[in-house]
Amino acid sequence: MSRLVVISNRIADPRKPASGGLAVAVGQALEASGGLWFGWSGKIVEDGTPGEGDLHLQTAGNVQLATVDLSREDHDSYYLGYSNGVLWPVFHYRLDLADFDAGYIGGYRRVNHMFARKLANLLQPDDVIWVHDYHLMPLAAELRAMGCRQRMGFFLHIPLPPPLILAAVPEHDWLVRTLFAYDLVGLQSDADVAHFSRYVGTETSADILGEHEFRAFGKTLQVQAFPIGIDVDEFQALGQGRESQEMYAQMKGEYSRRRLLLGVERMDYSKGLPQRLKTFRHLLQTYPENVGSATLIQIAAPSRESVDAYAALRQELESLCGAINGNFGELDWMPVRYIHRNVARKRLPGLYRAASVALVTPLRDGMNLVAKEFVVAQDPDDPGVLVLSRFAGAAEQLAEALMVNPYDIARTAETIQRALQMPLDERQRRHQSLLTRVREQDVHWWRERFLNALANVPAP
Ligand code: ADQ
């Protein structure tokens, strides 16, 4: 069995339990075959030399962890600049928020080159290499240039935008060309694969050999959808834990006479938070029976706060929440509880289970794991209702959710009202179908499908 080598911007120690579904899934795959996990150490060296960083090696069971430090300059241009200031907004269709500073690309290329250089020394000839996410798109091209011939796959966790949006990235043709250094590219949804196919059809001279097969730059590439799932057993076990049960009891106690609506995410402009608050305000205005009853708990964990667009979003949210609470609040009821913090993962299932309605309404999302976690956390006898944006990758799999266009505030409010009034038998029916799919297509299914497809790519 070949050794698996996983490369991602951040890595997690597979021995530590609370690191979340992806870390668990990748950790298990690495342990099964023995493996190497490579990425940034999280450390920034203030006066470090760009393109140079110390390599740290650590062993965790039969998994080797290899991490590299970043100089301040590399961190700011590769991570904050190009990855999160250019690729993240453009890939989420937010050209207005992209910061096309010509200086960033140098850092992005430099760090990818450095990662490849450090990694190449650690590779064995029959390793299988799996690279994750937008930070590291050109990594395989760098490795190939150094003579590495191993099987290489790439998985993009965020959406791939339509061709004319992707084309706004000044280096778009180079970026896509570097993808052809992989043997397999995995995307979250069929919509993303269709965008890739249209891009190569219009912007390159690639031959489209089949629905999932493309030939260009002397290389054949497979591109397929592999929708990521969650670790259902792990999340259900968390739900049985003391912290989660306490959370549930506390919420049920506090809100015994009220209906709880819940949003949980990183604070990010892709998640549609201002639209969600405006929708909630519209719900209170249009359906006054919710005044004094419906309460929105919005958890928005701090994220990338040194990128400008995030600070502006935070201000907007604080002012919207303040206005809604000021206009509608009563002495014994605040319509919005806005919490700008992380909730401990062990408590999350209890919070989800106490909610009557989950609002998962991103403007664009590669997948969205919160939607799947909410489904798994519900009591099947009395489940809450998932209101889901059609623009989340998860919408392709979770058709029994109540689907909304989050830009359409009036109709989304109407749909939330429908969710609040949904009869028990309909809630049970929808939940049963959703749970079956989330369970069948879990994170292990995702990982196995990807790694099988990579193993079965015909040799060049
Ligand atoms: P994210 O944009 O981070 O992920 P998501 O898929 O929802 O979004 O995953 C977030 C994870 O963090 C979930 O497990 C959730 O429970 C947890 N989380 C979020 N906010 C939290 C909070 N305030 N407190 C505690 N936990 C919180 C990116 C892409 C997604 C894609 C994933 C995986 O943007 O589209 O689904 O990667 O590929």
Side-chain angles (χ1 to χ4, degrees), residues 393-441:
E396 284 187 7
Q397 288 171 299
L398 305 184
E400 296 83 1
L402 292 188
M403 226 52 90
V404 294
N405 166 7
Y407 294 97
D408 185 343
I409 285 171
R411 281 174 75 184
T412 304
E414 196 183 307
T415 307
I416 296 172
Q417 178 68 0
R418 184 175 158 210
L420 285 166
Q421 295 180 330
M422 190 180 285
L424 179 63
D425 61 337
E426 184 180 352
R427 282 192 278 129
Q428 288 172 335
R429 218 170 347 99
R430 286 177 183 269
H431 174 258
Q432 191 52 53
S433 313
L434 289 169
L435 183 61
T436 305
R437 192 124 357 89
V438 171
R439 180 170 274 294
E440 276 167 10
Q441 303 183 349

Side-chain angles (χ1 to χ4, degrees), residues 200-242:
V200 295
T202 54
E203 300 279 334
T204 75
S205 54
D207 292 324
I208 301 182
L209 305 178
E211 207 183 336
H212 302 299
E213 205 173 32
F214 305 87
R215 184 158 183 86
F217 317 113
K219 185 81 191 347
T220 301
L221 173 66
Q222 312 272 339
V223 181
Q224 278 183 56
F226 298 92
I228 194 168
I230 64 167
D231 189 330
V232 173
D233 294 331
E234 179 234 20
F235 207 70
Q236 281 186 333
L238 274 187
Q240 299 301 318
R242 183 175 53 81

Side-chain angles (χ1 to χ4, degrees), residues 115-412:
F115 272 25
R117 207 160 26 86
K118 306 264 179 193
L119 177 63
N121 292 327
L122 304 172
L123 292 179
Q124 297 160 8
D126 64 346
D127 282 344
V128 168
I129 297 174
W130 191 5
V131 179
H132 288 261
D133 232 358
Y134 57 104
H135 317 84
L136 299 170
M137 288 168 76
L139 191 69
E142 293 286 355
L143 288 167
R144 299 276 187 229
M146 293 169 194
C148 300
R149 308 196 43 175
Q150 291 84 348
R151 252 163 221 269
M152 296 188 199
F154 175 75
F155 185 75
L156 184 67
H157 289 257
I158 65 175
L160 189 83
L164 281 181
I165 292 186
L166 184 54
V169 177
E171 302 79 17
H172 66 97
D173 40 4
W174 167 76
L175 272 175
V176 174
R177 186 185 174 121
T178 66
L179 287 181
F180 278 82
Y182 293 97
D183 300 295
L184 173 69
V185 166
L187 302 172
Q188 295 273 29
S189 67
D190 290 334
D192 297 322
V193 174
H195 292 157
F196 183 86
S197 179
R198 272 182 37 223
Y199 178 95
V200 295
T202 54
E203 300 279 334
T204 75
S205 54
D207 292 324
I208 301 182
L209 305 178
E211 207 183 336
H212 302 299
E213 205 173 32
F214 305 87
R215 184 158 183 86
F217 317 113
K219 185 81 191 347
T220 301
L221 173 66
Q222 312 272 339
V223 181
Q224 278 183 56
F226 298 92
I228 194 168
I230 64 167
D231 189 330
V232 173
D233 294 331
E234 179 234 20
F235 207 70
Q236 281 186 333
L238 274 187
Q240 299 301 318
R242 183 175 53 81
E243 288 89 343
S244 177
Q245 305 268 351
E246 278 174 7
M247 183 70 169
Y248 176 74
Q250 183 194 334
M251 284 294 146
K252 276 290 181 196
E254 263 184 61
Y255 292 95
S256 57
R257 290 178 301 109
R258 304 213 149 104
R259 309 298 302 282
L260 206 59
L261 296 101
L262 178 67
V264 175
E265 39 261 304
R266 283 184 305 101
M267 157 105 57
D268 194 288
Y269 49 77
S270 64
K271 304 292 183 185
L273 292 167
Q275 288 79 357
R276 186 178 308 162
L277 286 162
K278 289 176 191 165
T279 301
F280 184 61
R281 181 173 64 196
H282 193 86
L283 178 84
L284 297 177
Q285 283 164 343
T286 318
Y287 306 98
E289 63 269 36
N290 292 309
V291 172
S293 164
T295 305
L296 170 62
I297 296 191
Q298 178 59 59
I299 319 269
S303 180
R304 305 176 195 162
E305 295 199 307
S306 45
V307 177
D308 287 347
Y310 289 74
L313 174 67
R314 182 176 174 182
Q315 279 194 345
E316 185 182 3
L317 289 181
E318 283 171 2
S319 120
L320 271 168
C321 291
I324 295 173
N325 282 340
N327 290 336
F328 291 92
E330 289 160 10
L331 282 175
D332 63 346
W333 171 70
M334 274 300 144
V336 183
R337 268 176 77 177
Y338 164 73
I339 297 157
H340 183 51
R341 269 197 312 275
N342 254 304
V343 175
R345 195 166 171 75
K346 287 184 174 167
R347 297 170 71 83
L348 259 185
L351 184 58
Y352 287 137
R353 198 177 175 101
S356 301
V357 180
L359 302 180
V360 182
T361 54
L363 305 180
R364 191 74 186 108
D365 217 328
M367 176 54 54
N368 195 298
L369 298 179
V370 169
K372 297 184 175 182
E373 291 170 354
F374 176 78
V375 168
V376 167
Q378 296 311 298
D379 173 359
D381 293 330
D382 185 18
V385 180
L386 175 62
V387 172
L388 180 63
S389 163
R390 58 173 299 185
F391 305 124
E396 284 187 7
Q397 288 171 299
L398 305 184
E400 296 83 1
L402 292 188
M403 226 52 90
V404 294
N405 166 7
Y407 294 97
D408 185 343
I409 285 171
R411 281 174 75 184
T412 304

